[in-house]
Amino acid sequence: MVAATADDQRLARTLGQDLDQLDVIAGGDFLSVDEQTATRWLREYSDEPYFRAVRGVAVVALYDDSEVWQLLGYEGPSVDQGGYVDRGFDDLDWLPDPRIEEYDGEPRPEIITSDTQGADA
């Protein structure tokens, strides 16, 4: 993150201000605050520009890092192998099974379109 500020002066100013703000909130030294308090404050300030920038860098790093892919069970891009439809789009075993239920109640007119009406006729 610090390296990213070398080419982006706006980000460098934001980074400095927001990190300084954490120290102010903590009464001088944010790094000395216990984990529970630090987590609470970080969640409270998670929409500040600095944290949005960190989140943006982290997301790109996760999507670009094949070592992270292995930890998450992601096999990498599938375009060159024909896509995901026939190649494990649902093979992540650490995700819970989706809750899929068939609706058997009365028809809901607010979701009926001309396409669905024609199919029943």
Side-chain angles (χ1 to χ4, degrees):
M1 187 70 204
V2 173
T5 65
D7 296 328
D8 188 339
Q9 291 302 310
R10 192 187 91 229
L11 180 59
R13 284 190 302 277
T14 299
L15 175 67
Q17 291 170 355
D18 286 340
L19 289 177
D20 290 345
Q21 182 64 26
L22 289 175
D23 282 337
V24 169
I25 293 166
D29 184 14
F30 180 77
L31 296 177
S32 67
V33 175
D34 66 273
E35 183 177 344
Q36 184 177 5
T37 302
T39 301
R40 182 171 42 86
W41 286 340
L42 291 173
R43 284 189 177 143
E44 186 177 326
Y45 289 92
S46 65
D47 285 331
E48 294 297 317
Y50 166 71
F51 293 104
R52 288 195 315 261
V54 169
R55 193 169 33 246
V57 169
V59 166
V60 169
L62 288 174
Y63 280 105
D64 284 348
D65 190 335
S66 61
E67 289 180 25
V68 172
W69 298 348
Q70 291 172 9
L71 292 171
L72 297 176
Y74 174 58
E75 298 170 354
S78 187
V79 171
D80 60 335
Q81 299 175 35
Y84 291 109
V85 172
D86 297 320
R87 199 182 141 263
F89 72 93
D90 63 350
D91 65 354
L92 294 176
D93 58 1
W94 53 270
L95 290 175
D97 288 332
R99 185 191 66 174
I100 300 173
E101 299 174 6
E102 181 104 10
Y103 179 75
D104 63 353
E106 290 294 317
R108 296 184 54 196
E110 71 273 14
I111 60 173
I112 295 176
T113 65
S114 60
D115 293 339
T116 58
Q117 288 177 347
D120 291 339

